[in-house]
Amino acid sequence: MPHSLIAQNVAQVSGYVRDVKTNEPLIGATVLLEGTELGAVTDVNGYFTIRNATPATYNVKASFVGYQSQTKFNIVLKSGGIPDLNFELQESVEQLEGVTVRANPFRKTEDTPLSVQKLSPEEIATYPGGNNDIAKVVQSLPGVSGSVGGFRNDVIIRGGAPNENVYYLDGIEIPNINHFSTQGSAGGPVGLLNVSFFEGVTLSSSAFPSQYDNVLSGVLQFDQRNGNNREYQTNIRVSSSEAAVTTEGPLFKSKNEEQSNTSFIASVRRSYLQLLFQAIDLPFLPDYWDYQYKLSHKFDNYNELIFTGVGSLDNISINVPDEFSPDQQATLDQIPIIDQWSTTAGLSWKNRFKDNSGFMTTALSTNILNNRFQQFDDVAEQEGLVFNNDSQEQEIKFRYNLTKFLNEWTVNTGFIVQQAIYSNKSERIDSARGFSYSNSLNFTRYGIHTQASRKFFKERLGVSAGFRMDGNTLMEGGNAIYKTFSPRFSVSYQLDEARKWSVNASIGRYYKIPPYTILGFADSTGNLLNKNTKYIQSDHLVAGIEYLLTPSSRISIEGFYKKYEDYPVSVVDSVSLANLGGGFSVLGNENVESAGLGRTFGIEFLYQRKFTKNFYAILAYTFYKSEFTGFNQEQYLPSTWDNRNLITFTGGYKFGNNWEVSARVRYLGQTPLAPVDEEATLASYPTIIRNYSRQGDLLLDPFNQTDLRIDKKWNFPKWTFNVFLEFQNVFVQQLPSEPNYGLLRDDNGNVITPRQLVKIEELDNSSLLPSLGIVIDF
């Protein structure tokens, strides 16, 4: 290649440096590419640009007088399509003579000093085995696992059920982050959020700030970046199962302006998984679209308006295999037909006070899930209806949050008012579990919250205390908001003057309203059967210690205890709904009572190393127990998520010439299940009935899988080409799966009479799964 062409393949990086509390631009801050002499100084808007860098991976450091320096690790500079790099600096503590105070690269806040994990954009984009699926990426975080067999994106945090988490996109709550989501829960097989949008992902698995409602196990915040406000950029991504296009740029930018006050970023993604499934003659064909967008407008230095949203179109259709096999036929019998769409859209206004005394955020949003779920005796011909669920749930939310800086205190307060609209036409044909009703709900939910935080003793001691209360106009006693008074308190202390050692602890009570599928369940005359259910209550006690090994690595040990009360218990099956939500049916569409208790507790070890010397890694081991009761509150049974041992490792090494190898290792202990009630299942087939009185009698083998990814980037003038090759299950481990049952058939697939239920012989699923993908940025 001619030298003149190579010389054009240079990279640059731009972004902003602001005060972390006030969001005030820091003028004259210095930004450097570590290991080089390249750098820049911010202008009056806090904006910087570093030019003429060699395309490679860098750590980038921002410094400003009177503030703690901040380093962004693992920043890939390319010749095209580089998003802004934004810093938020914190005012520095008083320096002590002869002591170097180490800035913590794993920044936490006083209100959430524990169990906070963050992933950078590069860690998200190159996650091995994730196929650019943000929901799978989250499962690499400490204490987080998926459902049995690892084929779904259920987020199980420290033994809590999948529907115990909440998800926020730039402060806008989104109820579903997966395609083909389980109504009443949030899991599904494929994530619907685009990884190209994110500046980072933050998981809080304890010590939740009071502004977040309806959470029992985890808060996941997806921070979207603003679109480029100077020039247009496009990202094209093609993988083994889908293709996506993301575009961004300025709006209303005049020729003499360097940047616009208005920018956008938008994407659309299309699957072709259904074509692959049809080619290999599988009995079902999943087909999906999704879209995501963000529009930002900056009125002035103190006011910004953001309009953002995400949505999906999902369909599972039937494909009758050409040749009969017992396992394929059992899958065909039991697979539902799903026609589902979802959308979330929100408008938020952030007003920063001119005296830097605080800011307020006002948001109006709506989310809709439309779910048609059907099962048939003969699914190929769609004859013999077994179960029909035709429902829609919608929320219209108004949130207001005020943050004030009062001397050394930071006070956050606000409220939420939301309208919940739910309708369902549902029918199950079953002599023991059958029902038929058509019903709709329209009621108001509301909540208030306050939290105050402060640091003492030269910022070595941090304390935070707060509360929230929630109510609604539907449930019996729902307006007695004092019953959901949920206090919380957290404390953190840096033990040594160098700020290497810190201890953290929190205690709090949290509440969650039952899913609308429970609240809307009715008898044939339309009478609501579950109006007397209660908010689910969970008390958390967490404590831990952390040590900064180096400026880029840490180790921590954390113990946790969660106690549950008033968990819904199925009247028919006498099982806590804490055990459910990991399948493809509908969670909670049945009669329940708030009678269940539960507890999860354990200890977690974490080692994390940010990108230094070409290597980064997260290694975590969690030992925990998760158990719940049915109606007998004296009998605790292991939950479906009680795997006891969870090991996760994610790491990568970057070689020269833009080569990278990364790996993910997951180990999940035995999974307790309730065995199938064969007599009841035969009577209700294709519905599978379990004997939940024997929950835990069936133990699936441990799940153990290693995934490998190889990336190679080529930089050309103004554009970048990236190829990645992934290998899932590189050690060809046998992956556990639930026992499968079907009707006894002859060699031609005809049912033998009288009908008999048989256990299908377990298939070998220990294959290596390779996949190839490309990413183009320009």
Side-chain angles (χ1 to χ4, degrees), residues 79 106 116 170 183 187 189 216 223 248 254 287 297 354 374 425-426 459 472 572 653 728:
S79 57
F106 311 97
V116 177
D170 285 346
Q183 191 173 3
L216 298 179
D223 298 320
E248 60 182 295
S254 61
D287 184 8
H297 177 71
K354 293 184 178 180
Q374 293 180 305
K425 183 178 181 181
S426 191
E459 300 194 352
N472 68 84
V572 173
Y653 188 87
Q728 295 188 39

XYZ file of all heavy atoms in Angstrom, residues 79 106 116 170 183 187 189 216 223 248 254 287 297 354 374 425-426 459 472 572 653 728:
179
model
N -10.198 5.221 12.337
C -10.148 6.272 11.322
C -11.537 6.747 10.925
O -11.671 7.731 10.200
C -9.407 5.763 10.079
O -10.028 4.594 9.573
N -13.232 2.948 39.764
C -14.518 2.245 39.880
C -15.458 3.122 40.703
O -15.836 2.791 41.822
C -14.318 0.881 40.527
C -13.206 0.085 39.907
C -11.927 0.070 40.463
C -13.427 -0.636 38.747
C -10.904 -0.655 39.890
C -12.402 -1.372 38.156
C -11.134 -1.381 38.725
N -22.053 -2.134 42.655
C -22.199 -1.355 41.429
C -21.162 -1.834 40.417
O -19.970 -1.861 40.708
C -22.018 0.153 41.694
C -22.102 0.926 40.385
C -23.066 0.651 42.670
N -31.664 6.155 29.643
C -31.551 7.603 29.861
C -32.636 8.125 30.796
O -33.241 9.170 30.550
C -31.609 8.361 28.535
C -30.321 8.258 27.742
O -29.312 7.829 28.314
O -30.326 8.599 26.547
N -44.513 -12.172 29.181
C -45.363 -11.171 29.798
C -45.475 -11.435 31.293
O -45.667 -12.557 31.741
C -46.751 -11.165 29.173
C -47.596 -9.971 29.599
C -48.910 -9.892 28.840
O -49.216 -10.754 28.031
N -49.690 -8.853 29.098
N -37.736 -11.515 30.594
C -36.755 -12.288 29.855
C -37.239 -12.676 28.480
O -38.420 -12.593 28.149
N -35.326 -14.661 24.518
C -34.127 -15.270 23.942
C -33.165 -14.280 23.287
O -31.984 -14.594 23.127
C -34.690 -16.240 22.905
C -36.000 -15.641 22.514
C -36.540 -14.968 23.734
N -36.703 -5.040 43.258
C -36.388 -5.942 44.363
C -34.982 -6.514 44.269
O -34.392 -6.867 45.279
C -37.387 -7.100 44.410
C -38.859 -6.764 44.656
C -39.693 -8.029 44.650
C -39.043 -6.006 45.958
N -26.995 3.918 29.542
C -26.714 5.324 29.237
C -26.417 5.459 27.752
O -25.383 4.999 27.266
C -25.534 5.828 30.063
C -25.821 5.769 31.560
O -26.959 6.090 31.941
O -24.920 5.403 32.332
N -26.217 8.612 12.565
C -26.288 9.734 13.498
C -25.703 10.975 12.840
O -24.990 10.887 11.829
C -25.505 9.412 14.771
C -24.019 9.123 14.528
C -23.298 8.753 15.802
O -23.207 9.617 16.695
O -22.838 7.602 15.910
N -25.912 25.005 10.318
C -25.574 25.890 9.205
C -24.120 25.671 8.793
O -23.327 25.083 9.536
C -25.777 27.356 9.602
O -24.939 27.710 10.690
N -38.906 -14.537 14.088
C -38.714 -13.427 13.152
C -38.897 -12.129 13.930
O -39.905 -11.961 14.632
C -39.749 -13.544 12.026
C -39.554 -12.482 10.950
O -38.539 -11.765 11.001
O -40.432 -12.367 10.078
N -31.703 18.086 21.894
C -31.641 19.505 21.548
C -31.206 20.298 22.774
O -31.803 20.185 23.849
C -32.986 20.024 21.062
C -32.967 21.504 20.761
N -32.294 22.034 19.677
C -33.524 22.565 21.414
C -32.440 23.338 19.671
N -33.173 23.692 20.712
N -28.734 28.021 37.052
C -27.622 28.889 36.641
C -26.639 29.170 37.771
O -25.480 29.506 37.513
C -28.173 30.200 36.077
C -28.932 30.019 34.770
C -29.389 31.341 34.189
C -30.107 31.135 32.847
N -30.569 32.415 32.259
N -50.686 -18.096 21.670
C -51.647 -19.168 21.457
C -50.960 -20.525 21.434
O -49.856 -20.670 20.897
C -52.389 -18.972 20.127
C -53.303 -17.769 20.086
C -53.988 -17.636 18.744
O -53.322 -17.589 17.708
N -55.321 -17.595 18.749
N -58.008 -10.755 26.883
C -59.006 -11.759 26.542
C -58.282 -13.086 26.591
O -57.451 -13.381 25.737
C -59.596 -11.499 25.159
C -60.692 -12.480 24.769
C -61.266 -12.147 23.401
C -62.378 -13.130 23.029
N -62.939 -12.835 21.679
N -58.589 -13.878 27.620
C -57.769 -15.049 27.894
C -58.644 -16.273 28.114
O -59.706 -16.195 28.740
C -56.905 -14.802 29.136
O -55.926 -15.790 29.278
N -13.966 13.832 53.132
C -14.613 12.989 52.123
C -14.245 11.516 52.229
O -14.457 10.742 51.292
C -14.328 13.505 50.706
C -14.834 14.920 50.492
C -14.873 15.304 49.035
O -14.374 14.531 48.201
O -15.426 16.374 48.732
N -51.588 2.950 44.770
C -52.366 2.817 43.547
C -53.846 2.803 43.891
O -54.242 2.597 45.041
C -51.980 1.539 42.794
C -52.399 0.285 43.514
O -53.537 -0.164 43.401
N -51.470 -0.301 44.278
N -53.572 -22.799 42.425
C -53.698 -24.123 41.813
C -52.486 -24.999 42.107
O -52.617 -26.163 42.494
C -53.904 -23.991 40.286
C -53.857 -25.360 39.625
C -55.215 -23.297 39.992
N -7.276 -9.664 25.483
C -5.906 -9.207 25.263
C -5.812 -8.607 23.867
O -6.313 -9.195 22.898
C -4.909 -10.365 25.393
C -3.469 -9.915 25.366
C -2.832 -9.518 26.535
C -2.757 -9.858 24.174
C -1.510 -9.083 26.523
C -1.439 -9.424 24.138
C -0.824 -9.037 25.319
O 0.474 -8.594 25.299
N -18.711 -20.287 20.240
C -19.417 -20.558 21.484
C -19.237 -22.022 21.860
O -19.294 -22.905 21.016
C -20.896 -20.220 21.337
C -21.161 -18.732 21.110
C -22.644 -18.401 21.164
O -23.379 -18.947 21.971
N -23.084 -17.497 20.294
